[in-house]
Amino acid sequence: MFKLENTIKLKTTLLSLGVMSVFVSSLFANGVSVDGAVKYPTKDGKYGPYHVNTQNVKYNNGREATKNEINIWNVDVKPDLKDLPKYDTKHGKAIMEDGKPKIAKGSVEWGEELYDKNCGMCHGEFAAGGKGYPTLAGGKTADLVIQRLNPAHKSPNANVALKTVGSYWPYASTLFWYIQDSMPFTAPKTLTNSEVYAITAFLLSVNEIEIDGEVIDEEFVLSKENFDKIVMPNVDGFYPEVNTKDPKQGVKNMTALLSNPKIYGTGTRCMKDCIKGDVKELLMRIKVDLAPNANQPITSERSWKEPVSEGSGKNPVVSGNYDTYCSACHSNKAIGAPVLGDKDAWTEVMSKGIDTVYENAINGINAMPPKGGAVLSDEEFKQIVDYMINSSK
């Protein structure tokens, strides 16, 4: 009797599971998923906001981007070098030379010329560092193990590691992409692929990066064909590979890392009265009030509008040119350039005479390149100088 009763229960359970299975399958077939007693619409067997848009909203703004428009912006280069450009391009199309696409390539020698013209004013000669901007060369990968033993100290460790392209960055592809997408600071996305290859080659050379066992010299030419030979010194300095073909191997790689005692701090722990001095000195405060711009109304309006002066008496085109070409240096005292609005600094500048000020601005002075790197006429750039002078009285 006992066996018969349990057999009936087992059959009933199996039947119920079978019915449920058919029910769930039918739901998926009809584009519905059940999770926690809640039904969700599905698409290709998946559900959730990332896969299914449940909002009943139709947009009819603008048009679909063309293939070339997408190519102009789709320039990210990953460590596998899949999207590293082979040709020089313009407006998303390959530039033709003698009837063939022009191969993108650049030498170290040419890269030094381009660096001095576009980068040196911020990052210093030979990428050794500038006022207020990162040092790109130098440092040792072996020094990365040096830790800040007590972050509360003003000088936690006098010998803290210098993190640069050569000592810290794991992939040269990141360097190429960053330059291509964001540099030079005053005119990003204006460099050709060949120019980016050249500047990348120069920065690799000043960091003494080796290819095939030899340090890159000034005659070395970088292109897509030999880019994969670059192995950065700190390529294994970050988390291990977890996106492996065998998922279990990724777990093993991470487990091995976390089990290594050498990656953890070896300093003495402080459990009481660790911070010396006034705690208020450790706080970082935002000096600019962000409230007025924090809750801007959402809009889909993207059409170009001609700048309109709001009764300030300032020419919006001139002030816009200042923001584009000059503000990077003239709004930061740490760089050493006279800051906009600093009356004393500009009084000293004007003591040389307006003609000299114009001449220095147009031809360049100290770390400032001619016209600050701007592609403007002399008269247009003089208007920016006048704007800065008048705004600093």
Side-chain angles (χ1 to χ4, degrees):
M1 185 67 180
F2 174 78
K3 291 183 178 179
L4 179 60
E5 180 182 352
N6 283 276
T7 300
I8 294 174
K9 289 181 178 179
L10 177 60
K11 289 182 177 179
T12 303
T13 301
L14 292 175
L15 180 60
S16 299
L17 291 174
V19 172
M20 180 61 70
S21 177
V22 173
F23 174 68
V24 172
S25 298
S26 66
L27 286 175
F28 269 104
N30 292 310
V32 178
S33 173
V34 177
D35 184 1
V38 179
K39 295 181 180 179
Y40 297 95
T42 65
K43 182 179 181 181
D44 298 329
K46 300 178 181 179
Y47 66 94
Y50 287 105
H51 303 289
V52 183
N53 181 11
T54 59
Q55 299 181 26
N56 186 22
V57 178
K58 294 183 179 180
Y59 295 98
N60 189 26
N61 296 324
R63 57 172 174 75
E64 290 187 4
T66 65
K67 183 178 180 180
N68 285 332
E69 288 171 336
I70 294 174
N71 289 339
I72 292 172
W73 287 93
N74 186 26
V75 295
D76 56 308
V77 180
K78 304 176 185 65
D80 61 8
L81 307 183
K82 177 182 178 182
D83 296 319
L84 190 70
K86 182 177 181 179
Y87 306 108
D88 267 327
T89 59
K90 185 175 183 180
H91 303 315
K93 295 182 179 180
I95 295 175
M96 305 303 290
E97 187 176 65
D98 298 329
K100 298 179 180 179
K102 182 181 178 182
I103 299 293
K105 58 184 178 180
S107 67
V108 171
E109 183 178 10
W110 183 31
E112 183 175 5
E113 296 177 8
L114 292 170
Y115 175 88
D116 290 341
K117 176 183 177 182
N118 297 285
C119 320
M121 74 285 292
C122 293
H123 296 286
E125 293 187 19
F126 301 103
K131 294 181 179 180
Y133 290 93
T135 300
L136 302 180
K140 299 178 180 179
T141 301
D143 291 343
L144 295 176
V145 298
I146 300 175
Q147 301 183 38
R148 292 183 178 273
L149 302 183
N150 190 343
H153 295 166
K154 289 185 178 180
S155 299
N157 194 324
N159 298 315
V160 68
L162 178 60
K163 296 180 179 180
T164 66
V165 169
S167 67
Y168 186 68
W169 290 33
Y171 304 110
S173 57
T174 308
L175 176 61
F176 181 96
W177 177 24
Y178 190 86
I179 296 172
Q180 179 192 45
D181 192 56
S182 305
M183 295 291 132
F185 186 82
T186 56
K189 293 184 175 70
T190 58
L191 297 172
T192 66
N193 291 335
S194 288
E195 290 173 329
V196 177
Y197 274 118
I199 296 175
T200 301
F202 169 70
L203 290 175
L204 294 174
S205 72
V206 295
N207 278 282
E208 300 182 350
I209 302 300
E210 297 182 356
I211 290 184
D212 293 334
E214 297 184 2
V215 177
I216 297 174
D217 59 22
E218 65 177 11
E219 296 180 356
F220 175 80
V221 178
L222 184 63
S223 67
K224 184 175 183 177
E225 297 301 319
N226 57 1
F227 205 98
D228 59 349
K229 294 183 178 181
I230 302 170
V231 180
M232 303 298 283
N234 197 38
V235 65
D236 296 322
F238 289 78
Y239 285 112
E241 178 63 46
V242 294
N243 189 25
T244 53
K245 292 182 179 180
D246 179 7
K248 294 182 179 180
Q249 185 59 49
V251 175
K252 291 179 181 178
N253 292 347
M254 183 59 73
T255 301
L257 173 72
L258 298 178
S259 301
N260 183 2
K262 293 183 179 180
I263 69 171
Y264 299 101
T266 57
T268 302
R269 290 186 177 183
C270 178
M271 305 301 292
K272 185 179 180 181
D273 298 329
C274 303
I275 300 176
K276 308 298 181 184
D278 189 355
V279 178
K280 294 181 179 179
E281 294 183 2
L282 300 177
L283 298 178
M284 296 183 66
R285 295 180 174 83
I286 299 176
K287 297 181 179 180
V288 180
D289 184 9
L290 302 179
N293 298 316
N295 296 302
Q296 291 284 342
I298 298 176
T299 177
S300 60
E301 175 62 44
R302 294 293 183 271
S303 59
W304 169 253
K305 292 182 175 62
E306 192 68 29
V308 178
S309 177
E310 298 180 354
S312 62
K314 297 179 181 178
N315 186 324
V317 175
V318 176
S319 61
N321 285 337
Y322 164 79
D323 291 336
T324 301
Y325 300 111
C326 309
S327 62
C329 295
H330 287 280
S331 62
N332 187 347
K333 286 187 178 181
I335 295 176
V339 174
L340 184 72
D342 188 334
K343 182 178 179 180
D344 294 336
W346 281 96
T347 298
E348 182 179 350
V349 170
M350 289 301 297
S351 65
K352 304 173 185 178
I354 188 62
D355 292 336
T356 301
V357 175
Y358 283 148
E359 181 181 354
N360 292 338
I362 293 172
N363 299 321
I365 182 174
N366 298 328
M368 176 184 169
K371 299 180 184 177
V375 185
L376 299 172
S377 67
D378 289 356
E379 291 304 318
E380 287 174 324
F381 202 74
K382 285 181 179 180
Q383 291 179 342
I384 299 179
V385 175
D386 293 338
Y387 166 77
M388 297 174 70
I389 294 172
N390 294 329
S391 299
S392 305
K393 292 182 177 179

